[in-house]
Amino acid sequence: MGNELMILAYLPSPARGVWWLGPFPIRAYALCIITGIVVAIWLTRRRWAARGGDPEDILDIALWVVPFGVIGGRLYHVITDPELYFGPGRDPVKAFAIWDGGLGIWGAVVLGGIGAWIACRRRGIDVWDLGDAIAPGLALAQAIGRWGNYFNQELFGGPSGLPWALRIDEAHRPADTASIALYHPTFLYESLWDIGVAVFLLWIDKRRKLSRGRLCAIYVAAYTVGRAGVEALRVDHANHFLGLRLNDWTALIVFLVALAFLLRPSQKRRPAEDTAAGEQLSPVETESH
């Protein structure tokens, strides 16, 4: 039982992460991801309509973003941790088993962003307008999706004696701490952080008239700060470079790019330019300066 004996309060592990509907498995990990996507689409449709856009735009864009994002997330995971799937004693086929966990957010953002760009081009939408509309929904999707790690008992932190420590079954514990039962629930930390980011984005969007793309950049910067804190606690397998996990380096680079975007001078039109361009801009564009 390890350190579980000395602590009266802790978060229990889920009894199961898979339910069977006849011969078909219903996986909690997949349900969490799908629920997050549905919530993101629902919120983004409402925000897009409030900005003067057609809510149906978001459904069409989602048909591009979701598959691109899933493929990108899996590619990033496999490319950055190839030793988990290739080499002696490994099964390369498992590289396709996304239901077992392993979607890298950075790959999902890059390839999902390409999907969004393609969809926006098809519908004549400015991709930065979409980014500002979708940012809070993305944060909520990540908050919900992280619960998939809870059901898979993966991506937790180091041993913990806190009242909210997570009990991990012995089969999922690191080999060097197999006798220790309780660990930091990093899935919960990141989920709560992402909810906070979503609320902050909605709050600031109502109170500040931000120029195009800045709300999206705030989301990226805020998310990477929280992710860096979570990475510092996690004990799952990860490749390192110069003493840091690869995800830390990626988060740092992405944060610096978002910060540079936020620090650059606002691109504001002069009144004369606004008047001249007004006939050519969509309702969303005219409200997003």
Side-chain angles (χ1 to χ4, degrees):
M1 300 293 286
N3 60 343
E4 182 184 348
L5 288 175
M6 300 180 292
I7 301 174
L8 297 178
Y10 60 86
L11 300 177
S13 296
R16 62 174 63 186
V18 182
W19 298 268
W20 291 88
L21 188 61
F24 303 104
I26 307 297
R27 302 182 185 276
Y29 183 87
L31 290 177
C32 291
I33 298 295
I34 292 170
T35 301
I37 291 171
V38 170
V39 169
I41 291 174
W42 169 78
L43 179 59
T44 305
R45 279 169 56 88
R46 289 175 60 89
R47 287 174 52 78
W48 193 247
R51 290 165 174 244
D54 181 357
E56 297 306 310
D57 290 339
I58 304 305
L59 291 178
D60 183 71
I61 292 170
L63 293 177
W64 287 83
V65 173
V66 173
F68 272 63
V70 171
I71 293 171
R74 190 59 176 180
L75 282 175
Y76 178 88
H77 169 70
V78 173
I79 290 171
T80 55
D81 293 301
E83 65 278 6
L84 297 178
Y85 306 100
F86 307 101
R90 299 296 183 178
D91 183 3
V93 174
K94 288 189 175 180
F96 298 96
I98 62 174
W99 51 85
D100 288 333
L103 291 176
I105 182 61
W106 312 116
V109 168
V110 171
L111 216 56
I114 292 174
W117 178 80
I118 294 172
C120 286
R121 291 267 298 181
R122 285 164 51 88
R123 297 188 75 91
I125 294 170
D126 189 293
V127 72
W128 286 116
D129 284 332
L130 174 68
D132 289 337
I134 201 174
L138 282 178
L140 283 180
Q142 288 171 293
I144 296 169
R146 271 301 168 202
W147 283 82
N149 301 138
Y150 168 68
F151 285 97
N152 279 359
Q153 295 194 49
E154 61 183 359
L155 308 187
F156 45 84
S160 172
L162 295 169
W164 54 83
L166 176 65
R167 186 188 186 283
I168 297 296
D169 293 339
E170 190 170 353
H172 300 282
R173 299 173 195 168
D176 57 345
T177 57
S179 64
I180 298 177
L182 304 179
Y183 297 82
H184 280 288
T186 49
F187 85 91
L188 180 61
Y189 299 160
E190 187 169 340
S191 181
L192 292 174
W193 177 267
D194 290 341
I195 291 172
V197 169
V199 171
F200 175 71
L201 292 174
L202 293 171
W203 176 82
I204 197 171
D205 195 35
K206 285 186 176 181
R207 286 160 177 75
R208 296 290 299 275
K209 192 173 181 65
L210 300 172
S211 59
R212 179 176 287 145
R214 289 188 177 256
L215 191 72
C216 183
I218 291 172
Y219 152 70
V220 172
Y223 172 75
T224 53
V225 169
R227 180 58 182 267
V230 167
E231 287 288 335
L233 293 172
R234 279 170 44 171
V235 294
D236 54 292
H237 167 82
N239 288 311
H240 289 69
F241 179 71
L242 296 179
L244 288 177
R245 295 161 67 103
L246 286 180
N247 281 336
D248 282 320
W249 285 110
T250 306
L252 177 60
I253 293 169
V254 173
F255 172 79
L256 292 175
V257 171
L259 184 62
F261 185 92
L262 288 170
L263 292 178
R264 73 186 180 97
S266 256
Q267 300 297 316
K268 292 186 178 292
R269 294 177 182 270
R270 293 189 296 273
E273 292 176 328
D274 280 334
T275 302
E279 297 292 329
Q280 304 175 9
L281 294 178
S282 68
V284 174
E285 289 175 318
T286 58
E287 295 177 8
S288 302
H289 298 163

